[in-house]
Amino acid sequence: MSQSFDVLIVGVGGQGTILASNILGEACLIAGLPVRGAETHGMAQRGGSVETHIRIGGIYGPLISPGTADIIISFDLLEALRYRHFLKPGGSIVTSDAVIIPTSAFTAGAEVPTQAEILERLADISCTAIDAAGLATEAGTILAQNVVMLGAASHALPLSVEALREAISRSVPPKTVETNLRAFELGRACLQK
């Protein structure tokens, strides 16, 4: 049995899922915590699903088994729904409230559930949806949605705010550090209200 704190980050290609997992990994190194991670992003550049597994403090492999994730950080409501089976009993999901229609569904004319329908399907678990796009825009760029999500999820992570802020500063391009730190703080603040 693993003693790790398991974080699954999910989104679609281009949303910064990999950068978010790199920031978490860097924060673990800053905090002196062992960390293992893995990512899958087969068709990510075409808007496909991207998932990264981060296991903080564990001694076993990098992949999280279904039903064992402590938290899922999702950059899209559909991805939250797709991966909810990874969540352990008592775990939680922090997700963007956006619904990104998959290219395959769009080209096939398939019906996609609405935001309200997805939230209803997630109502039986601890799930918090936030306006990541709005907060990122408020911070200075919509591209910082991934860092907004890390800020919102930071209350549940076994990492200090200082370690996360330092990891952001080390991981993003120097000219975007201030904007990303602002995005992180806006994400944190939205769940303190």
Side-chain angles (χ1 to χ4, degrees), residues 116-162:
E117 290 169 337
I118 297 169
L119 288 171
E120 187 178 324
R121 292 183 193 179
L122 295 171
D124 62 328
I125 57 177
S126 172
C127 178
T128 304
I130 66 168
D131 177 14
L135 292 171
T137 301
E138 184 180 338
T141 175
I142 198 166
L143 298 176
Q145 291 180 68
N146 56 347
V147 178
V148 167
M149 295 305 302
L150 286 180
S154 66
H155 300 284
L157 299 173
L159 294 162
S160 71
V161 174
E162 294 76 23

mmCIF file of all heavy atoms in Angstrom, residues 116-162:
data_model
loop_
_atom_site.group_PDB
_atom_site.id
_atom_site.type_symbol
_atom_site.label_atom_id
_atom_site.label_comp_id
_atom_site.label_asym_id
_atom_site.label_seq_id
_atom_site.Cartn_x
_atom_site.Cartn_y
_atom_site.Cartn_z
ATOM 1 N N ALA A 116 -24.235 22.256 -17.063
ATOM 2 C CA ALA A 116 -25.145 21.864 -15.981
ATOM 3 C C ALA A 116 -25.289 20.342 -15.902
ATOM 4 O O ALA A 116 -25.325 19.767 -14.802
ATOM 5 C CB ALA A 116 -26.513 22.514 -16.187
ATOM 6 N N GLU A 117 -25.367 19.677 -17.054
ATOM 7 C CA GLU A 117 -25.495 18.216 -17.057
ATOM 8 C C GLU A 117 -24.246 17.550 -16.487
ATOM 9 O O GLU A 117 -24.325 16.557 -15.755
ATOM 10 C CB GLU A 117 -25.763 17.719 -18.484
ATOM 11 C CG GLU A 117 -27.140 18.093 -19.002
ATOM 12 C CD GLU A 117 -27.309 17.835 -20.489
ATOM 13 O OE1 GLU A 117 -26.284 17.790 -21.229
ATOM 14 O OE2 GLU A 117 -28.467 17.707 -20.924
ATOM 15 N N ILE A 118 -23.093 18.081 -16.834
ATOM 16 C CA ILE A 118 -21.845 17.502 -16.318
ATOM 17 C C ILE A 118 -21.758 17.696 -14.802
ATOM 18 O O ILE A 118 -21.417 16.770 -14.063
ATOM 19 C CB ILE A 118 -20.622 18.127 -17.021
ATOM 20 C CG1 ILE A 118 -20.644 17.798 -18.511
ATOM 21 C CG2 ILE A 118 -19.327 17.618 -16.386
ATOM 22 C CD1 ILE A 118 -19.631 18.584 -19.325
ATOM 23 N N LEU A 119 -22.071 18.913 -14.359
ATOM 24 C CA LEU A 119 -22.008 19.176 -12.917
ATOM 25 C C LEU A 119 -22.991 18.285 -12.157
ATOM 26 O O LEU A 119 -22.694 17.826 -11.052
ATOM 27 C CB LEU A 119 -22.281 20.652 -12.640
ATOM 28 C CG LEU A 119 -21.138 21.595 -13.042
ATOM 29 C CD1 LEU A 119 -21.572 23.048 -12.928
ATOM 30 C CD2 LEU A 119 -19.891 21.334 -12.202
ATOM 31 N N GLU A 120 -24.132 18.001 -12.758
ATOM 32 C CA GLU A 120 -25.091 17.101 -12.118
ATOM 33 C C GLU A 120 -24.517 15.692 -11.993
ATOM 34 O O GLU A 120 -24.698 15.021 -10.982
ATOM 35 C CB GLU A 120 -26.385 17.075 -12.938
ATOM 36 C CG GLU A 120 -27.496 16.305 -12.270
ATOM 37 C CD GLU A 120 -28.789 16.352 -13.088
ATOM 38 O OE1 GLU A 120 -29.067 17.390 -13.703
ATOM 39 O OE2 GLU A 120 -29.495 15.339 -13.098
ATOM 40 N N ARG A 121 -23.774 15.255 -13.016
ATOM 41 C CA ARG A 121 -23.166 13.919 -12.966
ATOM 42 C C ARG A 121 -22.014 13.845 -11.960
ATOM 43 O O ARG A 121 -21.596 12.765 -11.569
ATOM 44 C CB ARG A 121 -22.652 13.522 -14.356
ATOM 45 C CG ARG A 121 -23.755 13.289 -15.358
ATOM 46 C CD ARG A 121 -23.181 12.828 -16.674
ATOM 47 N NE ARG A 121 -24.171 12.890 -17.731
ATOM 48 C CZ ARG A 121 -23.921 12.559 -18.987
ATOM 49 N NH1 ARG A 121 -22.732 12.149 -19.342
ATOM 50 N NH2 ARG A 121 -24.871 12.645 -19.883
ATOM 51 N N LEU A 122 -21.474 15.005 -11.601
ATOM 52 C CA LEU A 122 -20.378 15.045 -10.624
ATOM 53 C C LEU A 122 -20.883 15.409 -9.227
ATOM 54 O O LEU A 122 -20.086 15.530 -8.298
ATOM 55 C CB LEU A 122 -19.321 16.068 -11.076
ATOM 56 C CG LEU A 122 -18.583 15.757 -12.375
ATOM 57 C CD1 LEU A 122 -17.740 16.956 -12.812
ATOM 58 C CD2 LEU A 122 -17.714 14.513 -12.231
ATOM 59 N N ALA A 123 -22.182 15.558 -9.078
ATOM 60 C CA ALA A 123 -22.742 16.066 -7.825
ATOM 61 C C ALA A 123 -22.574 15.104 -6.651
ATOM 62 O O ALA A 123 -22.651 15.524 -5.495
ATOM 63 C CB ALA A 123 -24.222 16.409 -8.010
ATOM 64 N N ASP A 124 -22.312 13.826 -6.912
ATOM 65 C CA ASP A 124 -22.202 12.864 -5.820
ATOM 66 C C ASP A 124 -20.802 12.797 -5.218
ATOM 67 O O ASP A 124 -20.553 12.000 -4.316
ATOM 68 C CB ASP A 124 -22.630 11.480 -6.311
ATOM 69 C CG ASP A 124 -21.743 10.961 -7.429
ATOM 70 O OD1 ASP A 124 -21.235 11.788 -8.219
ATOM 71 O OD2 ASP A 124 -21.538 9.737 -7.505
ATOM 72 N N ILE A 125 -19.879 13.608 -5.719
ATOM 73 C CA ILE A 125 -18.524 13.643 -5.169
ATOM 74 C C ILE A 125 -18.164 15.090 -4.831
ATOM 75 O O ILE A 125 -18.849 16.018 -5.245
ATOM 76 C CB ILE A 125 -17.493 13.058 -6.158
ATOM 77 C CG1 ILE A 125 -17.551 13.816 -7.492
ATOM 78 C CG2 ILE A 125 -17.712 11.580 -6.368
ATOM 79 C CD1 ILE A 125 -16.525 13.367 -8.492
ATOM 80 N N SER A 126 -17.076 15.258 -4.114
ATOM 81 C CA SER A 126 -16.612 16.604 -3.784
ATOM 82 C C SER A 126 -15.991 17.220 -5.037
ATOM 83 O O SER A 126 -14.914 16.818 -5.465
ATOM 84 C CB SER A 126 -15.574 16.538 -2.657
ATOM 85 O OG SER A 126 -14.997 17.809 -2.461
ATOM 86 N N CYS A 127 -16.683 18.158 -5.632
ATOM 87 C CA CYS A 127 -16.228 18.763 -6.891
ATOM 88 C C CYS A 127 -16.474 20.273 -6.833
ATOM 89 O O CYS A 127 -17.584 20.711 -6.562
ATOM 90 C CB CYS A 127 -16.980 18.147 -8.070
ATOM 91 S SG CYS A 127 -16.530 18.875 -9.660
ATOM 92 N N THR A 128 -15.424 21.011 -7.094
ATOM 93 C CA THR A 128 -15.520 22.465 -7.129
ATOM 94 C C THR A 128 -15.136 22.943 -8.512
ATOM 95 O O THR A 128 -14.041 22.640 -8.999
ATOM 96 C CB THR A 128 -14.574 23.095 -6.089
ATOM 97 O OG1 THR A 128 -14.883 22.567 -4.802
ATOM 98 C CG2 THR A 128 -14.717 24.608 -6.078
ATOM 99 N N ALA A 129 -16.040 23.667 -9.163
ATOM 100 C CA ALA A 129 -15.778 24.221 -10.493
ATOM 101 C C ALA A 129 -15.541 25.720 -10.367
ATOM 102 O O ALA A 129 -16.295 26.407 -9.682
ATOM 103 C CB ALA A 129 -16.951 23.952 -11.422
ATOM 104 N N ILE A 130 -14.481 26.199 -11.019
ATOM 105 C CA ILE A 130 -14.156 27.626 -10.949
ATOM 106 C C ILE A 130 -14.026 28.215 -12.352
ATOM 107 O O ILE A 130 -13.780 27.494 -13.324
ATOM 108 C CB ILE A 130 -12.870 27.882 -10.145
ATOM 109 C CG1 ILE A 130 -11.656 27.294 -10.866
ATOM 110 C CG2 ILE A 130 -12.967 27.327 -8.744
ATOM 111 C CD1 ILE A 130 -10.342 27.748 -10.277
ATOM 112 N N ASP A 131 -14.153 29.502 -12.419
ATOM 113 C CA ASP A 131 -14.017 30.230 -13.689
ATOM 114 C C ASP A 131 -12.531 30.501 -13.941
ATOM 115 O O ASP A 131 -12.047 31.617 -13.744
ATOM 116 C CB ASP A 131 -14.820 31.529 -13.628
ATOM 117 C CG ASP A 131 -14.669 32.372 -14.891
ATOM 118 O OD1 ASP A 131 -14.166 31.860 -15.913
ATOM 119 O OD2 ASP A 131 -15.048 33.556 -14.841
ATOM 120 N N ALA A 132 -11.812 29.471 -14.357
ATOM 121 C CA ALA A 132 -10.363 29.601 -14.553
ATOM 122 C C ALA A 132 -10.036 30.598 -15.657
ATOM 123 O O ALA A 132 -9.079 31.371 -15.536
ATOM 124 C CB ALA A 132 -9.754 28.231 -14.871
ATOM 125 N N ALA A 133 -10.831 30.607 -16.719
ATOM 126 C CA ALA A 133 -10.559 31.528 -17.830
ATOM 127 C C ALA A 133 -10.719 32.975 -17.378
ATOM 128 O O ALA A 133 -9.883 33.838 -17.689
ATOM 129 C CB ALA A 133 -11.489 31.228 -19.000
ATOM 130 N N GLY A 134 -11.775 33.248 -16.618
ATOM 131 C CA GLY A 134 -12.006 34.603 -16.141
ATOM 132 C C GLY A 134 -10.904 35.069 -15.196
ATOM 133 O O GLY A 134 -10.423 36.203 -15.294
ATOM 134 N N LEU A 135 -10.470 34.174 -14.294
ATOM 135 C CA LEU A 135 -9.424 34.546 -13.343
ATOM 136 C C LEU A 135 -8.082 34.727 -14.043
ATOM 137 O O LEU A 135 -7.307 35.622 -13.703
ATOM 138 C CB LEU A 135 -9.321 33.495 -12.239
ATOM 139 C CG LEU A 135 -10.530 33.431 -11.306
ATOM 140 C CD1 LEU A 135 -10.440 32.214 -10.388
ATOM 141 C CD2 LEU A 135 -10.653 34.707 -10.492
ATOM 142 N N ALA A 136 -7.794 33.870 -15.024
ATOM 143 C CA ALA A 136 -6.535 34.001 -15.770
ATOM 144 C C ALA A 136 -6.517 35.312 -16.549
ATOM 145 O O ALA A 136 -5.496 36.014 -16.593
ATOM 146 C CB ALA A 136 -6.355 32.816 -16.711
ATOM 147 N N THR A 137 -7.640 35.653 -17.143
ATOM 148 C CA THR A 137 -7.735 36.925 -17.869
ATOM 149 C C THR A 137 -7.532 38.093 -16.906
ATOM 150 O O THR A 137 -6.820 39.051 -17.224
ATOM 151 C CB THR A 137 -9.095 37.027 -18.576
ATOM 152 O OG1 THR A 137 -9.219 35.916 -19.487
ATOM 153 C CG2 THR A 137 -9.225 38.329 -19.343
ATOM 154 N N GLU A 138 -8.119 37.982 -15.728
ATOM 155 C CA GLU A 138 -7.935 39.022 -14.700
ATOM 156 C C GLU A 138 -6.461 39.138 -14.295
ATOM 157 O O GLU A 138 -5.973 40.234 -14.021
ATOM 158 C CB GLU A 138 -8.800 38.693 -13.482
ATOM 159 C CG GLU A 138 -8.762 39.742 -12.404
ATOM 160 C CD GLU A 138 -9.650 39.366 -11.204
ATOM 161 O OE1 GLU A 138 -10.578 38.545 -11.360
ATOM 162 O OE2 GLU A 138 -9.379 39.893 -10.113
ATOM 163 N N ALA A 139 -5.760 38.004 -14.286
ATOM 164 C CA ALA A 139 -4.331 38.018 -13.922
ATOM 165 C C ALA A 139 -3.466 38.640 -15.015
ATOM 166 O O ALA A 139 -2.353 39.080 -14.742
ATOM 167 C CB ALA A 139 -3.856 36.595 -13.632
ATOM 168 N N GLY A 140 -3.948 38.620 -16.244
ATOM 169 C CA GLY A 140 -3.166 39.233 -17.313
ATOM 170 C C GLY A 140 -3.095 38.437 -18.596
ATOM 171 O O GLY A 140 -2.758 38.980 -19.632
ATOM 172 N N THR A 141 -3.400 37.138 -18.538
ATOM 173 C CA THR A 141 -3.409 36.331 -19.761
ATOM 174 C C THR A 141 -4.238 35.073 -19.556
ATOM 175 O O THR A 141 -4.093 34.388 -18.536
ATOM 176 C CB THR A 141 -1.983 35.942 -20.211
ATOM 177 O OG1 THR A 141 -2.091 35.049 -21.336
ATOM 178 C CG2 THR A 141 -1.211 35.233 -19.112
ATOM 179 N N ILE A 142 -5.039 34.777 -20.538
ATOM 180 C CA ILE A 142 -5.865 33.568 -20.455
ATOM 181 C C ILE A 142 -5.011 32.300 -20.460
ATOM 182 O O ILE A 142 -5.454 31.240 -20.055
ATOM 183 C CB ILE A 142 -6.912 33.546 -21.597
ATOM 184 C CG1 ILE A 142 -8.025 32.554 -21.271
ATOM 185 C CG2 ILE A 142 -6.239 33.266 -22.938
ATOM 186 C CD1 ILE A 142 -9.245 32.694 -22.142
ATOM 187 N N LEU A 143 -3.759 32.434 -20.893
ATOM 188 C CA LEU A 143 -2.857 31.282 -20.937
ATOM 189 C C LEU A 143 -2.486 30.774 -19.540
ATOM 190 O O LEU A 143 -1.921 29.693 -19.399
ATOM 191 C CB LEU A 143 -1.589 31.630 -21.710
ATOM 192 C CG LEU A 143 -1.795 32.007 -23.175
ATOM 193 C CD1 LEU A 143 -0.475 32.417 -23.819
ATOM 194 C CD2 LEU A 143 -2.425 30.852 -23.942
ATOM 195 N N ALA A 144 -2.777 31.551 -18.511
ATOM 196 C CA ALA A 144 -2.402 31.162 -17.147
ATOM 197 C C ALA A 144 -3.494 30.363 -16.430
ATOM 198 O O ALA A 144 -3.440 30.197 -15.211
ATOM 199 C CB ALA A 144 -2.037 32.401 -16.337
ATOM 200 N N GLN A 145 -4.458 29.823 -17.167
ATOM 201 C CA GLN A 145 -5.521 29.037 -16.528
ATOM 202 C C GLN A 145 -4.963 27.858 -15.743
ATOM 203 O O GLN A 145 -5.492 27.492 -14.690
ATOM 204 C CB GLN A 145 -6.506 28.518 -17.575
ATOM 205 C CG GLN A 145 -7.355 29.591 -18.218
ATOM 206 C CD GLN A 145 -8.304 29.015 -19.238
ATOM 207 O OE1 GLN A 145 -9.227 28.292 -18.869
ATOM 208 N NE2 GLN A 145 -8.083 29.328 -20.498
ATOM 209 N N ASN A 146 -3.892 27.241 -16.266
ATOM 210 C CA ASN A 146 -3.323 26.093 -15.558
ATOM 211 C C ASN A 146 -2.793 26.498 -14.183
ATOM 212 O O ASN A 146 -2.936 25.769 -13.208
ATOM 213 C CB ASN A 146 -2.236 25.420 -16.398
ATOM 214 C CG ASN A 146 -1.130 26.372 -16.824
ATOM 215 O OD1 ASN A 146 -1.252 27.595 -16.707
ATOM 216 N ND2 ASN A 146 -0.052 25.824 -17.336
ATOM 217 N N VAL A 147 -2.207 27.676 -14.093
ATOM 218 C CA VAL A 147 -1.673 28.143 -12.806
ATOM 219 C C VAL A 147 -2.809 28.587 -11.885
ATOM 220 O O VAL A 147 -2.739 28.402 -10.670
ATOM 221 C CB VAL A 147 -0.630 29.252 -13.026
ATOM 222 C CG1 VAL A 147 -0.102 29.775 -11.697
ATOM 223 C CG2 VAL A 147 0.523 28.729 -13.883
ATOM 224 N N VAL A 148 -3.869 29.135 -12.443
ATOM 225 C CA VAL A 148 -5.070 29.428 -11.644
ATOM 226 C C VAL A 148 -5.560 28.135 -10.992
ATOM 227 O O VAL A 148 -5.880 28.107 -9.791
ATOM 228 C CB VAL A 148 -6.190 30.042 -12.520
ATOM 229 C CG1 VAL A 148 -7.524 30.038 -11.779
ATOM 230 C CG2 VAL A 148 -5.832 31.457 -12.952
ATOM 231 N N MET A 149 -5.605 27.063 -11.773
ATOM 232 C CA MET A 149 -6.089 25.787 -11.242
ATOM 233 C C MET A 149 -5.183 25.264 -10.132
ATOM 234 O O MET A 149 -5.663 24.704 -9.145
ATOM 235 C CB MET A 149 -6.221 24.759 -12.371
ATOM 236 C CG MET A 149 -7.279 25.093 -13.416
ATOM 237 S SD MET A 149 -8.918 25.386 -12.712
ATOM 238 C CE MET A 149 -9.194 23.855 -11.864
ATOM 239 N N LEU A 150 -3.863 25.434 -10.294
ATOM 240 C CA LEU A 150 -2.952 25.016 -9.214
ATOM 241 C C LEU A 150 -3.213 25.843 -7.951
ATOM 242 O O LEU A 150 -3.173 25.312 -6.840
ATOM 243 C CB LEU A 150 -1.494 25.188 -9.657
ATOM 244 C CG LEU A 150 -0.962 24.180 -10.661
ATOM 245 C CD1 LEU A 150 0.500 24.494 -10.997
ATOM 246 C CD2 LEU A 150 -1.081 22.755 -10.134
ATOM 247 N N GLY A 151 -3.470 27.129 -8.135
ATOM 248 C CA GLY A 151 -3.779 27.965 -6.973
ATOM 249 C C GLY A 151 -5.043 27.502 -6.274
ATOM 250 O O GLY A 151 -5.089 27.399 -5.041
ATOM 251 N N ALA A 152 -6.067 27.192 -7.044
ATOM 252 C CA ALA A 152 -7.323 26.736 -6.450
ATOM 253 C C ALA A 152 -7.136 25.400 -5.723
ATOM 254 O O ALA A 152 -7.707 25.185 -4.652
ATOM 255 C CB ALA A 152 -8.392 26.601 -7.537
ATOM 256 N N ALA A 153 -6.320 24.519 -6.295
ATOM 257 C CA ALA A 153 -6.101 23.200 -5.697
ATOM 258 C C ALA A 153 -5.088 23.238 -4.557
ATOM 259 O O ALA A 153 -4.993 22.272 -3.788
ATOM 260 C CB ALA A 153 -5.632 22.217 -6.773
ATOM 261 N N SER A 154 -4.351 24.326 -4.434
ATOM 262 C CA SER A 154 -3.245 24.377 -3.477
ATOM 263 C C SER A 154 -3.698 24.148 -2.036
ATOM 264 O O SER A 154 -2.912 23.656 -1.217
ATOM 265 C CB SER A 154 -2.504 25.714 -3.595
ATOM 266 O OG SER A 154 -3.347 26.785 -3.195
ATOM 267 N N HIS A 155 -4.941 24.459 -1.719
ATOM 268 C CA HIS A 155 -5.435 24.268 -0.346
ATOM 269 C C HIS A 155 -5.439 22.788 0.040
ATOM 270 O O HIS A 155 -5.372 22.462 1.225
ATOM 271 C CB HIS A 155 -6.847 24.832 -0.211
ATOM 272 C CG HIS A 155 -6.922 26.301 -0.502
ATOM 273 N ND1 HIS A 155 -6.492 27.262 0.374
ATOM 274 C CD2 HIS A 155 -7.350 26.977 -1.597
ATOM 275 C CE1 HIS A 155 -6.669 28.458 -0.145
ATOM 276 N NE2 HIS A 155 -7.193 28.307 -1.348
ATOM 277 N N ALA A 156 -5.530 21.916 -0.955
ATOM 278 C CA ALA A 156 -5.613 20.484 -0.677
ATOM 279 C C ALA A 156 -4.276 19.769 -0.836
ATOM 280 O O ALA A 156 -4.167 18.589 -0.508
ATOM 281 C CB ALA A 156 -6.634 19.837 -1.614
ATOM 282 N N LEU A 157 -3.265 20.446 -1.356
ATOM 283 C CA LEU A 157 -1.983 19.799 -1.634
ATOM 284 C C LEU A 157 -1.083 19.797 -0.398
ATOM 285 O O LEU A 157 -1.108 20.751 0.379
ATOM 286 C CB LEU A 157 -1.271 20.525 -2.783
ATOM 287 C CG LEU A 157 -2.005 20.542 -4.118
ATOM 288 C CD1 LEU A 157 -1.273 21.440 -5.123
ATOM 289 C CD2 LEU A 157 -2.141 19.129 -4.672
ATOM 290 N N PRO A 158 -0.242 18.769 -0.248
ATOM 291 C CA PRO A 158 0.670 18.719 0.906
ATOM 292 C C PRO A 158 1.957 19.506 0.641
ATOM 293 O O PRO A 158 3.074 19.026 0.884
ATOM 294 C CB PRO A 158 0.951 17.218 1.042
ATOM 295 C CG PRO A 158 0.887 16.713 -0.363
ATOM 296 C CD PRO A 158 -0.194 17.531 -1.040
ATOM 297 N N LEU A 159 1.807 20.699 0.084
ATOM 298 C CA LEU A 159 2.944 21.546 -0.270
ATOM 299 C C LEU A 159 2.680 22.956 0.254
ATOM 300 O O LEU A 159 1.529 23.421 0.234
ATOM 301 C CB LEU A 159 3.123 21.595 -1.791
ATOM 302 C CG LEU A 159 3.527 20.284 -2.454
ATOM 303 C CD1 LEU A 159 3.246 20.323 -3.944
ATOM 304 C CD2 LEU A 159 5.000 20.004 -2.193
ATOM 305 N N SER A 160 3.719 23.633 0.664
ATOM 306 C CA SER A 160 3.537 24.996 1.168
ATOM 307 C C SER A 160 3.302 25.965 0.014
ATOM 308 O O SER A 160 3.711 25.717 -1.127
ATOM 309 C CB SER A 160 4.768 25.433 1.962
ATOM 310 O OG SER A 160 5.860 25.638 1.083
ATOM 311 N N VAL A 161 2.660 27.057 0.331
ATOM 312 C CA VAL A 161 2.436 28.106 -0.663
ATOM 313 C C VAL A 161 3.779 28.640 -1.155
ATOM 314 O O VAL A 161 3.960 28.904 -2.341
ATOM 315 C CB VAL A 161 1.584 29.244 -0.064
ATOM 316 C CG1 VAL A 161 1.466 30.411 -1.016
ATOM 317 C CG2 VAL A 161 0.204 28.720 0.287
ATOM 318 N N GLU A 162 4.737 28.750 -0.247
ATOM 319 C CA GLU A 162 6.053 29.271 -0.623
ATOM 320 C C GLU A 162 6.734 28.353 -1.637
ATOM 321 O O GLU A 162 7.336 28.825 -2.603
ATOM 322 C CB GLU A 162 6.942 29.431 0.619
ATOM 323 C CG GLU A 162 6.464 30.493 1.595
ATOM 324 C CD GLU A 162 5.258 30.052 2.435
ATOM 325 O OE1 GLU A 162 5.032 28.833 2.606
ATOM 326 O OE2 GLU A 162 4.521 30.942 2.922
#
